[in-house]
Amino acid sequence: MSGADATQAVILAGGQGTRLRPLTLARAKPVVPLLNRPFLAYQLALLRDHGVTDVILACSYRVDDVREALGHAEHLGVHLRYVIETEPLGTGGGVRNAVDLMRGTVFVLNGDVLTDADLTVMRRFHQANGSRATIFLVPVADPRAYGLVETDAAGRLLRFREKPTADEPITTNMINAGIYLIDAELLRRMPAGRAVSIEREFFPQLIAEGVPSFGFTTPAYWRDIGSPSAYRAAQMDLLDGRVRTTLMPPGERHDGAWLESAVCGSTDRITGPAVVGDGVEIGRGARVGPRAVLGSGCRIGAGAHVENAVLWEGVCVGEGARLTNCVVATDAHIGAHAEIGADVVLEPGAVVADRARLGV
Ligand code: GDD
Ligand code: MG
């Protein structure tokens, strides 16, 4: 592998985002907003920061949403191309479908992980070990919902078991982080034109054939944002500075709060960390934050309180309402003195009655 290699990436973004409903009824999972930026912008910024600028998006579902949010992503310092599956081809098939655009060694990313993984160190590991496929591994407390990856002391892959059934013994807490470095030549060997799982077919076959394949780990922030609670938690982590990223929220920072434009009302009512979009109105005596994200055009009524919460664009919060630990999608309307808490997720355009109590 030459020094200039591994500057290409494929991002898998063709899933339907079922577990992130109702949010994904309004917007495709790859571009749901995190601190008012489309999610994929974080992955693109990470790739660019590690010298990966030629990026291919393997997608099949709601591609227009992604195009509208990111275009060719030149503003993020990369060039993004789209390869579209007419039928979803699975995680392996999606990569295989884009293989004609790839050469040398390529990064492959699941399009729903927020991470600050050091891709440069991973690339060095891959080269130093003569690896042909390297998987980034992270330890998790409960690995059952992921791909379990066993390695020997040198890091060689011994076993890849995707989502073991309840009766199978758990043999490791190291899981597939959905970040790979793989020789394009190997990817070309996957069958074309049918669904293929990279986890259930491609990796087990490499191991069976004895192709030099490794697991690699180094401390990093990592979270799959594919469920509503993880989607909110990821933003709380970003607000708390737990994720190293060069992608900042839109606007300028004042006292720990990012403001996209002048707030109508007083910024004294905002307690950082917080992110406040364009044209937001904050009523008398209302409190925003700590840890609040307001999309553009939100209106927060007098005396209302928003904390540990994420509001998409155009949400209207009635007087004296209290929103904590929740996610509210676009144009929802929260009645006066309503109380919303504990991981509640409201769909786009939801209407909550005055004094209603949800999740509290
Ligand atoms: N292009 C394309 N085509 N992409 C797809 C398809 C498809 O048919 N199906 C899924 N994807 C994309 C999803 O959009 C997502 O970005 C990624 O592939 C992984 O799919 P998920 O549905 O999110 O899988 P998961 O989270 O259950 O499991 C995967 O990720 C875990 C880490 O978060 C596996 O790779 C596990 O092994 C891994 O531990
Ligand atoms: Mg996922």
Side-chain angles (χ1 to χ4, degrees):
M1 187 166 111
S2 76
D5 210 345
T7 55
Q8 256 192 329
V10 187
I11 300 179
L12 281 161
Q16 294 204 3
T18 319
R19 280 165 296 173
L20 202 48
R21 281 187 194 151
L23 299 172
T24 39
L25 297 175
R27 211 162 300 171
K29 176 163 84 164
V31 291
V32 291
L34 264 72
L35 307 196
N36 292 348
R37 297 268 189 213
F39 171 68
L40 274 183
Y42 291 89
Q43 287 201 335
L44 297 175
L46 177 78
L47 289 166
R48 178 205 57 209
D49 291 347
H50 290 281
V52 181
T53 50
D54 179 3
V55 187
I56 299 152
L57 200 66
C59 42
S60 68
Y61 179 73
R62 299 186 71 147
V63 184
D64 290 347
D65 277 11
V66 185
R67 274 193 212 280
E68 193 183 316
L70 291 167
H72 291 298
E74 309 288 3
H75 60 293
L76 294 163
V78 300
H79 182 72
L80 185 64
R81 289 183 281 177
Y82 296 74
V83 174
I84 300 160
E85 294 145 54
T86 37
E87 289 287 312
L89 291 171
T91 48
V95 179
R96 173 69 180 82
N97 192 46
V99 86
D100 289 346
L101 300 179
M102 298 172 212
R103 64 200 179 290
T105 306
V106 294
F107 280 99
V108 177
L109 262 55
N110 281 355
D112 62 353
V113 295
L114 178 67
T115 183
D116 56 17
D118 191 334
L119 304 182
T120 301
V121 176
M122 181 179 180
R123 187 193 276 124
R124 267 190 227 125
F125 173 95
H126 183 88
Q127 291 169 332
N129 286 278
S131 178
R132 300 198 62 206
T134 303
I135 305 178
F136 198 101
L137 306 178
V138 288
V140 295
D142 182 7
R144 276 192 195 278
Y146 301 98
L148 275 60
V149 182
E150 293 172 35
T151 59
D152 70 11
R156 271 180 189 273
L157 296 189
L158 296 176
R159 187 160 182 258
F160 192 121
R161 180 74 183 109
E162 180 68 10
K163 302 192 180 93
T165 53
D167 53 342
E168 276 180 65
I170 295 298
T171 48
T172 178
N173 71 333
M174 294 304 271
I175 61 134
N176 164 29
I179 304 168
Y180 321 113
L181 253 181
I182 308 178
D183 281 7
E185 283 311 312
L186 289 180
L187 296 170
R188 228 161 249 134
R189 287 168 26 177
M190 281 191 273
R194 73 152 167 95
V196 181
S197 162
I198 206 165
E199 299 89 352
R200 294 176 198 273
E201 297 175 61
F202 178 76
F203 285 114
Q205 195 175 340
L206 289 191
I207 296 167
E209 290 178 13
V211 175
S213 318
F214 288 76
F216 167 77
T217 187
T218 184
Y221 176 88
W222 183 87
R223 196 189 282 278
D224 179 329
I225 61 132
S227 71
S229 62
Y231 165 73
R232 190 178 63 83
Q235 295 182 75
M236 300 300 116
D237 291 339
L238 281 165
L239 287 172
D240 288 340
R242 286 205 207 111
V243 192
R244 278 169 297 167
T245 176
T246 53
L247 185 69
M248 294 299 130
E252 286 183 20
R253 200 171 174 165
H254 298 272
D255 296 334
W258 291 88
L259 308 179
E260 199 168 342
S261 63
V263 170
C264 183
S266 167
T267 53
D268 294 349
R269 296 169 201 149
I270 303 172
T271 309
V275 173
V276 176
D278 211 17
V280 166
E281 292 174 24
I282 302 180
R284 220 171 344 100
R287 285 183 297 145
V288 170
R291 297 165 112 214
V293 182
L294 305 186
S296 59
C298 282
R299 282 175 294 149
I300 311 300
H305 186 188
V306 180
E307 183 176 338
N308 288 328
V310 176
L311 277 50
W312 288 14
E313 303 87 1
V315 173
C316 182
V317 177
E319 268 186 34
R322 190 181 156 80
L323 276 64
T324 52
N325 307 310
C326 58
V327 179
V328 182
T330 316
D331 297 330
H333 193 285
I334 315 297
H337 304 284
E339 260 190 76
I340 300 178
D343 272 333
V344 169
V345 180
L346 293 176
E347 73 274 16
V351 177
V352 173
D354 291 354
R355 300 190 187 276
R357 290 164 62 87
L358 297 177
V360 288

